[in-house]
């Protein structure tokens, strides 16, 4: 979906590693992990709302129709789940069937921005400026996507 150029990737890397307990160790892990991923703590600069892919992909489609650029979005190894980066604190307030939250005290698997990996990948890479998806807008997009699914399995 949305990638990032070389200079954008560097800025995105700096934004991501800013939450790492040891930014240099995070960079080292990205370079040496065979999957090209590292663990980063949620809850400082972002939370992540995790949706099943059946709802996540149509939700992302709705979001990209509503805003020029949503916040970062990850897809997991088997394309079963998607993670939408939202403002910190969202996970503790979120109530939704089938939606999991990763907030303070949790860790997420994060690939290096702009590089292909063998598993978790960016559908929308971070822009390095801290753009996140507004939780209210995400909820509206989820409702619209659920309506599509309920009516015909997708948009017309």
């Amino acid at each position: 979906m949305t990638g990032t150029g070389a200079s954008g990737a560097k800025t995105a890397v700096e934004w991501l590693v800013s939450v790492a307990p040891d930014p240099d160790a995070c960079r080292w892990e990205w370079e040496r992990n065979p999957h090209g991923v590292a663990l980063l703590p949620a809850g400082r600069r972002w939370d992540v709302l995790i949706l099943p892919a059946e709802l996540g992909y149509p939700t992302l489609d709705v979001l990209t129709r509503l805003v020029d650029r949503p916040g970062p979005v990850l897809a997991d190894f088997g394309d079963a789940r998607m993670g939408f980066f939202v403002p910190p604190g969202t996970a503790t307030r979120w109530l939704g069937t089938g939606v999991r939250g990763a907030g303070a005290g949790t860790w997420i698997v994060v690939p290096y921005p702009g590089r292909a990996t063998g598993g978790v990948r960016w559908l929308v890479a971070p822009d390095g400026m801290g753009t996140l998806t507004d939780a209210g807008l995400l909820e509206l997009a989820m409702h619209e996507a659920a309506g599509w699914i309920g009516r015909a399995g997708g948009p017309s």
Side-chain angles (χ1 to χ4, degrees), residues 41-140:
R44 293 182 65 197
R45 290 194 188 262
W46 62 77
D47 282 1
V48 181
L49 292 181
I50 303 163
L51 283 63
E54 300 81 33
L55 178 59
Y57 280 102
T59 297
L60 181 57
D61 187 44
V62 172
L63 274 175
T64 58
R65 294 169 195 234
L66 298 174
V67 295
D68 288 335
R69 188 182 202 299
V73 181
L74 289 171
D76 73 358
F77 288 99
D79 255 0
R81 290 172 295 280
M82 295 171 62
F84 291 80
F85 282 49
V86 293
T90 301
T92 59
R93 297 185 306 269
W94 191 268
L95 298 173
T97 303
V99 177
R100 296 186 335 215
T106 61
W107 294 74
I108 59 169
V109 175
V110 179
Y112 189 93
R115 283 190 197 152
T117 66
V120 174
R121 68 188 188 289
W122 293 108
L123 297 176
V124 179
D127 60 10
M129 298 183 312
T131 301
L132 300 170
T133 297
D134 175 78
L137 188 60
L138 179 61
E139 182 177 13
L140 289 173

